[in-house]
Amino acid sequence: MQVASMHFRKRAHEKLGDERLQRNLQKIKGKFVAKRRAAITELDDFEATREAGRAIRQRALDDLDAWLALFEANATARGATVLWAQTPDEINRLVLEIAFRHGARKIVKSKSMVSEESALDLAIEEAGLEVVETDLGEYILQINGYEPPSHIVGPALHKSKEEVTELFHRRHGTPRKDGIEELCLEARAVLRRHYLTADMGISGGNFFVAETGSVVLVTNEGNASLVTTLPKVHVAISGIEKIVPTLEDVATLMRLLPRSATGQSISNYVDLLTGVRGEGEYHGAQHMYFILVDGGRTGVLASEVREALRCIRCGACMNHCPVYQAVGGQAYGWVYPGPIGSILTPMYVGLENAHDLPAASTMCNQCGVVCPVKIPLPDLQRKLREQAFARELRPWSERAGMRAWAWLARRPSLYATVSRVGVRALRLLRGGNGMIRRLPLGGGWTRGRDMPAPAGRTFRELYAARRRGGDLP
Ligand code: SF4
């Protein structure tokens, strides 16, 4: 997928001015937040489960090479072939080699974010083969000219029912449907034909289990079950970090994933696929391949933001992020949006191509609080901000401002004096409603919102007054 993250600021402004998008974002705002909140209360001790999830994912990353070797041995013993892709381009090459080896002409696909990294669908089409996305959201985006996804769980969440109605009418040549159920039935009828005539299925993988050589797929639509069992060839593609040591670990992570993602106790379908179809077995592919992708992951593992690799792609961080909710996922300009995207994208495509993303955060830490595997997202964003500053990637005015602030902060008496003058000056700028309409040197901040005027005294002054038992303003 083409990287447009270097244009985040421009894209974010465009998205903020897109009235239709803003209406759609308002409709979904908070939807998953409330459901998640209700779902986590079902567990006796959600925080203890969260800590267990963190430990499982960290254990996998701490000995990643050993778990990957064990996975390869066990998957191979069950008749599967394990292949390794160093770069996104290698994913495409390996998939096409497999397709041509088995004479595949039509490929059905369930959701795989890693394949978005390599724009696999376009590579398949360029090679003269047919590919059909079967996740409903991905299908909508595909028939709308390969529009980029806006959310890792619901790729087409930014689209309204009316937009999908028009799209299906235009692309399927069918009468316009009113209800969501009718639209789903229409997509199902179209996709069913493809499942039954496909030669090869491609899936992602939520977890790869080292002790059994299995892939675990978690869906609500059941499309992954059909993609992976009806065609004679199944290719599962995923990043190397998705490994987990044992099936018991999967059971623990499954207590966290659907609850954090969609507020469900369990998703509608959980497929656990091990090896090729055996003698006398009714289901399963005759040929099974795993493509395990580095694509920058070993670089992340060796970096100071390695904890980001614990991610289980639940999407909770973006559902709770005020920046994501305001601009939507497509503003981020690559595969992974929201707080986790603001860390993974610069690491995978280069900080110089995405240095605005770690800055796209209010540091409110809602993402860190809800992350089911306890990734300290704001801390990692701050580390990338520091790197961007040190590499002089940020605008000179920002760097000069930070240097001036750092110089001042090292001189406490002067800092206190400047702060005292500053808050009093800002208070003079307040309007009748106690708000500042236009902030000097911070016009960007007040262009879209008012800023509450400060109290007129600094925090230190207020604190000292309270300790003395004096009145507060
Ligand atoms: S960073 Fe945490 S909250 Fe965000 S998608 Fe990954 S696991 Fe979920």
Side-chain angles (χ1 to χ4, degrees), residues 138-146 167-168 170-172:
E138 292 284 356
Y139 174 69
I140 289 168
L141 299 181
Q142 183 185 26
I143 64 171
N144 200 31
Y146 283 115
L167 180 67
F168 279 14
R170 185 159 45 86
R171 295 305 303 262
H172 295 161

Side-chain angles (χ1 to χ4, degrees), residues 99 103-109 124 128-132 190-202 231 233:
R105 302 295 308 161
K106 180 190 278 190
I107 297 171
V108 281
K109 209 165 151 269
I124 291 173
L129 309 181
E130 185 183 1
V131 59
V132 182
V190 171
L191 292 173
R192 194 78 17 146
R193 285 200 310 272
H194 293 300
Y195 293 123
L196 296 173
T197 51
D199 311 297
M200 183 166 136
I202 296 177
V233 184

Side-chain angles (χ1 to χ4, degrees), residues 4 12 15-16 35 45 52 83 138 172 186 199 227 243 249 262 290 319 330 359 361 375 380 395 443 450:
K15 302 295 179 194
L16 285 168
K35 287 185 168 179
D45 191 343
L83 303 166
E138 292 284 356
H172 295 161
E186 181 170 320
D199 311 297
V227 161
I243 205 94
D249 293 336
T262 48
F290 292 106
N319 298 338
Q330 291 180 340
S361 165
I375 300 173
L380 305 189
D450 291 340

Side-chain angles (χ1 to χ4, degrees), residues 241-257:
E241 82 282 13
K242 291 288 191 71
I243 205 94
V244 291
T246 67
L247 280 175
E248 205 173 323
D249 293 336
V250 174
T252 302
L253 292 170
M254 282 304 296
R255 292 163 78 81
L256 294 165
L257 177 57

Side-chain angles (χ1 to χ4, degrees), residues 395-415:
W396 72 266
S397 53
E398 188 179 315
R399 283 185 279 131
M402 291 298 284
R403 283 207 179 89
W405 183 85
W407 183 86
L408 202 56
R410 284 195 294 269
R411 291 160 180 81
S413 309
L414 185 59
Y415 187 92

